[in-house]
Amino acid sequence: MTEATGSGAARRTNEAAAPYTVPQPPAVVDAAIWPSIATVPSGLKTAVAGRVAEAIFKAAVRRLPLEVRYPDGTVLGKAAVPGRTYPVMTMNRPEAFAARLGDGGLIGLGESYMAGDWDADNLTAVMEVFAARVGTLVPEPLQKLRALYLPRQPRKERNTEQNTRSNISRHYDLSNELFGTFLDQTMTYSSALFPESGEALKTVAWDGFASAQQAKIDRLLDKAGVGQGTRVLEIGTGWGELALRAAQRGATVYSVTLSSEQQELARKRVADAGYTDAVTIELKDYRAVEGEYDAVVSVEMIEAVGFEYWATYFQTIERVLAPGGKVAIQAITIAHDRLLATRSSYTWVHKYIFPGGVIPSVRAIEDITEKQTGLRVRERLAMGEHYAQTLRLWEERFMARSADVQGLGFDEIFQRMWLFYLCYSRAGFETGYLDVQQIVLDRRTAGEAAG
């Protein structure tokens, strides 16, 4: 029985599948490593929640440009439009999918993919359909009840000075070799800034990736006024590329990280390049930084701060910024209304990728800096479309090196998890749900009244 009208066959012919094969979960999942994946939620409460979730999901899908195919031959989705392709979501175990969705909401959506309850010929395209309508998928009356049934962030994952090291370690200390399988030679794990724009941006290739990453870094250093003799504070070292490029300009760099794996490799890269006298990399919380710096740079680190501590983050920057100094940060951003709706939620990304993370809005950054610091936002560059292509290149590289990832000890469940993370993120940037900004700040002048 087909509930969507039109020719599914025609759409399948035109639909572009991802250029790789996704690994399938093993027959037996290791419950010690993946407890939520090894066992499907059960019990009366879960059964009831599962039926409700399934009804909501099917009602939503019937109006979406998506094909959802069930084992019995049923196909749900919005009626076909001539010449339009729809991405395909294939249900392998509908009952398990419904149980996980009912038990964990969007956490269950990701976990059911990890478990193999559903597949997609183009996961990013499927996630784009959901991302573009994330605020309306659930009926409004039920949205008002979300706080009653959706989990909230655990207190142990709040980004206090006691917890932050653990939160950072769970992601960035996985393995330098793992990150090396999909990052370019600069080991830069943030959005690149490509020279291309428009349609040409959608087909940028790997061979220009490293240069685009360095262009992103160079623009930040330019905006922060980094040159010969500049004292630079970097909050969030990564694997050292920004510190190296600042040192090449004649700056001295003090960089802090909470990842021991990143510190080790970054220090090695600095030593190999001959800049140990110019670059210091310490394992330290940003709140503990002392001294005075002409420039403060921080790339996609504010997302790990936690919204309760954004004021502390900017107050710390203000405290160490020398007179006349400049600040340049790169930040993933979200619309302010979505921030307000989700900032206390506990999501699949928190559980599996970035514990304690919260993506800020531009408005939140501007409000906090104006009302709680002497800093003022002077300039912004939005470049979300560049992040979408950065993620595409990482996704293709990661999947092309699946055997290497397996050899490092990361099993099929991990690989499906990481693919879901990359595609989920890319869909956010492709649809505009997420953006990324380079933001330049400096101190408010005497003539500017505090907000």
Side-chain angles (χ1 to χ4, degrees), residues 219-228 230 232 249 294-295 326 328:
R219 187 181 187 280
L220 284 168
L221 295 178
D222 289 344
K223 292 298 180 180
V226 175
Q228 185 69 39
T230 305
V232 177
R249 295 180 174 214
D294 306 305
K326 289 187 176 295

Side-chain angles (χ1 to χ4, degrees), residues 107 147 150-160 163 167 170 303-310 339 341-351 354-359:
I107 293 178
L150 289 181
R152 298 175 71 85
Q153 290 197 27
R155 290 189 63 83
K156 66 181 180 180
E157 292 184 6
R158 291 182 62 206
N159 282 293
T160 63
N163 295 342
N167 285 346
R170 280 172 56 186
E303 304 87 349
V305 167
F307 75 90
E308 309 102 316
Y309 301 100
W310 287 337
L339 167 64
T342 62
R343 66 184 182 183
S344 298
S345 299
Y346 185 63
T347 68
W348 181 89
V349 171
H350 291 123
K351 184 173 181 178
F354 291 116
V358 181
I359 295 173

